Amino acid sequence: MNTVVLLLFLTFSSLFACAQKVAEPTRNPPEWTQPYQPFRIAGNLYYVGTSDLASYLITTPKGHILINTGLSSSLSSIKANVKTLGFKFSDIKILLTTQAHFDHMGAMAAIKKLTGAKFMVDEKDAKVAADGGRSDYALGGHRSTYVPVKADRILHDKDKITLGGMELVMLHHPGHTQGSCSFLFNVKDESRVYSVLIANMPTIVTEKKFSEVTTYPGIAKDYAYTLNAMKKLKFDMWLSSHASQFGLLTKHKPGDAYNPAAFIDQKGYDSAIRDLEDKFLRKE
């Protein structure tokens, strides 16, 4: 019942938000729009994002899953990257996001409209997605920072997303946004099966003291929960919302041969989580 009420609320709030002006922030790092040659990461998992805004394509015989869409300008590059890899952009059936910020949601509405794909999002980010980021506790304001997107399916911790033999498990990792999440799944190539984590790293975006974030009263508790949960995760390879977070540019150069082993890096992940935990513990 609660999910039905939420979906109805999102429908009306999305219609209202669509009537509002969209003002995507423009003072962004250049690597957010710098093209990057698409490539096969492992099995049926591909990188189709920019030099830093990571977008992932998971292909299946029944259509494809796209995770994150970068800025609004990323639409053309994602389309071109999918085509370069030999797949049809129109075959994208499911759209996911690791967080409802403009740098990962910018092209979501356009891709949804062009492909007819179903947008699925963590319950705690559904409202923010539906108003284009206006209600985000840290980056929100009077204008949407991306075109609002209404959820076709609300996801909860450990929910499964399935398509064409693929099964992704969504992991609720709040803090960075109230509905930030990661995805855990397996891919297979000619040699072996790989367990893959696409992690939303719990970086801190607010300059306020946690006690001053009145629109997100549980923020400190959520960060603590997420850091504890992420420390326990085990996998073969990991990726994240930003390419810089998992060292893409050092692990893979454009034109490199297929090499899944480059992304097998539990040690690097553990170190990154420890660093984020240190920053969290120093935050007031």
Side-chain angles (χ1 to χ4, degrees):
M1 185 63 181
N2 288 338
T3 298
V4 173
V5 172
L6 178 58
L7 287 171
L8 288 173
F9 169 79
L10 293 175
T11 298
F12 288 110
S13 62
S14 182
L15 290 173
F16 173 78
C18 283
Q20 309 302 303
K21 291 183 178 179
V22 174
E24 182 180 82
T26 56
R27 299 177 66 180
N28 302 312
E31 57 268 26
W32 284 14
T33 54
Q34 183 178 347
Y36 197 82
Q37 184 178 356
F39 67 97
R40 183 188 183 199
I41 299 171
N44 57 322
L45 172 64
Y46 299 83
Y47 189 88
V48 294
T50 66
S51 288
D52 190 54
L53 297 183
S55 296
Y56 302 99
L57 184 73
I58 300 172
T59 62
T60 86
K62 299 293 184 180
H64 314 316
I65 300 169
L66 180 67
I67 302 175
N68 292 344
T69 66
L71 300 171
S72 58
S73 61
S74 296
L75 171 61
S76 58
S77 62
I78 290 175
K79 286 181 67 177
N81 287 344
V82 172
K83 182 178 180 181
T84 295
L85 291 168
F87 303 107
K88 292 183 179 179
F89 182 76
S90 58
D91 283 343
I92 295 173
K93 303 300 181 184
I94 295 175
L95 295 168
L96 302 171
T97 188
T98 52
Q99 50 169 286
H101 279 158
F102 73 95
D103 50 333
H104 308 288
M105 290 284 294
M108 191 69 73
I111 293 177
K112 186 178 190 300
K113 183 176 180 179
L114 287 171
T115 63
K118 302 297 183 182
F119 174 56
M120 304 178 186
V121 66
D122 185 297
E123 178 185 22
K124 297 298 183 179
D125 264 357
K127 179 179 182 295
V128 179
D131 62 34
R134 285 187 301 111
S135 62
D136 181 78
Y137 74 94
L139 305 184
H142 299 295
R143 290 188 177 185
S144 297
T145 53
Y146 52 88
V147 177
V149 190
K150 182 181 75 70
D152 295 293
R153 179 184 172 192
I154 301 297
L155 299 172
H156 306 88
D157 189 37
K158 296 183 176 60
D159 272 356
K160 296 177 181 179
I161 301 105
T162 59
L163 179 69
M166 282 297 299
E167 179 179 277
L168 285 68
V169 178
M170 191 211 80
L171 303 174
H172 180 58
H173 287 157
H176 186 81
T177 68
Q178 296 191 56
S180 287
C181 62
S182 304
F183 298 96
L184 190 63
F185 55 94
N186 291 334
V187 295
K188 180 181 180 180
D189 67 8
E190 300 76 14
S191 301
R192 56 168 289 187
V193 174
Y194 301 90
S195 174
V196 180
L197 174 70
I198 295 180
N200 192 78
M201 305 302 279
T203 55
I204 297 172
V205 291
T206 180
E207 295 181 354
K208 296 180 180 179
K209 295 180 180 179
F210 284 149
S211 60
E212 296 173 345
V213 185
T214 56
T215 54
Y216 189 177
I219 184 170
K221 182 179 179 181
D222 277 358
Y223 267 111
Y225 163 82
T226 293
L227 287 161
N228 183 59
M230 295 187 80
K231 284 191 294 185
K232 299 175 181 177
L233 295 176
K234 300 299 178 184
F235 43 81
D236 294 316
M237 59 179 62
W238 75 286
L239 309 159
S240 59
S241 305
H242 287 266
S244 54
Q245 292 173 333
F246 66 95
L248 170 63
L249 301 186
T250 60
K251 293 176 178 176
H252 175 90
K253 304 292 185 183
D256 280 355
Y258 176 65
N259 182 26
F263 302 97
I264 297 178
D265 185 23
Q266 182 80 47
K267 183 178 179 180
Y269 171 84
D270 292 341
S271 177
I273 292 296
R274 283 196 301 271
D275 180 63
L276 291 173
E277 184 174 41
D278 287 343
K279 291 177 180 178
F280 166 71
L281 294 174
R282 292 196 300 269
K283 177 76 174 178
E284 295 185 77

